[in-house]
Amino acid sequence: MPAPKRVVTAASKQEAKQLARKNLWIVREVQIAAMDFHAVYITCLFSLIALTCAEPVKFADCGSAVGKVVIVDIKPCPTQPCQLHKGQSYAVNVTFNSLVESKTSTAIVHGLIAGIPIPFPIPIEDGCKSGIVCPIQKEQSYNYVNQLPVKTEYPSIKLIVEWELRDDTSKDLFCIKFPVQIVS
Ligand SMILES: CC(C)CCC[C@@H](C)[C@H]1CC[C@H]2[C@@H]3CC=C4C[C@@H](O)CC[C@]4(C)[C@H]3CC[C@]12C
């Protein structure tokens, strides 16, 4: 049976054109909606990054004898030296490579005020409870993380924080120094 012939009239051509135009509009609207969504999404993503991302902090190595410091992050620390606001909490994240094996790791913190080291007891001294999987292996990368509150009773001063992580034999897996400013 022969296929029914389509009759192409001027009217049906006109209709087809109208339909194509309408379709184009729908496509455009969808595209615009997608762009809007993209803009919102990207803005949200960037603000989230700005709010939550840690900033690499300039630090001095004070003798990491049995380790190599890769990066030091403090959260939040948008400007350096880090401003520590009383009543807020701050997290430090030290990425380092261990050059030795060690069953234990112990963190020791000092505040250097006018060059004099003042011991600062931290609630969790055990590095193996601060993000590190013990025993520590040789040539392995680790992330030491700790969070501390800045109490209102601290004085508003500028000082240098010295943070060490010691191995079984009391040698430093890392020793870092960075300036901070305590502000009200
Ligand atoms: C960047 C983040 C993770 C570090 C947070 C550690 C802060 C809160 C610690 C590290 C060393 C600490 C200081 C060490 C020594 C002293 C001297 C003491 O007479 C008053 C408190 C003061 C001034 C401490 C305030 C808190 C301090 C600055």
Side-chain angles (χ1 to χ4, degrees), residues 74 84 90-92 109 111 113 118 120 148-150 154-155 157 159 161 163 178 182:
I74 290 169
L84 306 181
Y90 293 85
V92 67
V109 181
I113 300 168
I118 297 157
F120 182 71
L148 288 176
V150 177
Y154 294 159
I157 50 164
L159 72 149
V161 177
W163 211 298
F178 53 89
I182 304 175

Side-chain angles (χ1 to χ4, degrees), residues 56-65 67-74 80-82 92 94-96 108 110 112 159-165 172-180:
V57 160
K58 283 187 209 107
F59 67 92
D61 192 295
C62 35
S64 308
K68 175 98 187 70
V69 182
V70 181
I71 200 159
V72 178
D73 277 338
I74 290 169
Q80 290 185 51
C82 294
V92 67
V94 184
T95 308
F96 69 98
I108 312 259
H110 285 90
L112 296 182
L159 72 149
I160 289 168
V161 177
E162 191 183 272
W163 211 298
E164 289 169 78
L165 188 71
D172 282 341
L173 285 159
F174 70 72
C175 177
I176 53 162
K177 277 203 285 196
F178 53 89
V180 296

Side-chain angles (χ1 to χ4, degrees), residues 22 48 54 66 69-70 101 112 135 137 140 144 154 157 159 181:
K22 209 173 161 192
L48 203 71
V66 293
V69 182
V70 181
E101 281 169 17
L112 296 182
Q137 289 168 339
Q140 210 9 97
Y144 168 86
Y154 294 159
I157 50 164
L159 72 149
Q181 184 163 21

Side-chain angles (χ1 to χ4, degrees), residues 88-128:
Q88 271 180 236
S89 260
Y90 293 85
V92 67
N93 185 329
V94 184
T95 308
F96 69 98
N97 291 318
S98 171
L99 303 176
V100 292
E101 281 169 17
S102 183
K103 286 192 194 73
T104 67
S105 61
T106 313
I108 312 259
V109 181
H110 285 90
L112 296 182
I113 300 168
I116 297 155
I118 297 157
F120 182 71
I122 55 169
I124 304 170
E125 278 197 324
D126 191 348
C128 305

Side-chain angles (χ1 to χ4, degrees), residues 12-30:
S12 68
K13 262 191 194 167
Q14 192 69 30
E15 232 169 68
K17 260 191 202 164
Q18 260 173 5
L19 201 73
R21 234 179 271 144
K22 209 173 161 192
N23 280 349
L24 203 71
W25 264 112
I26 293 170
V27 169
R28 285 233 175 102
E29 250 155 50
V30 169

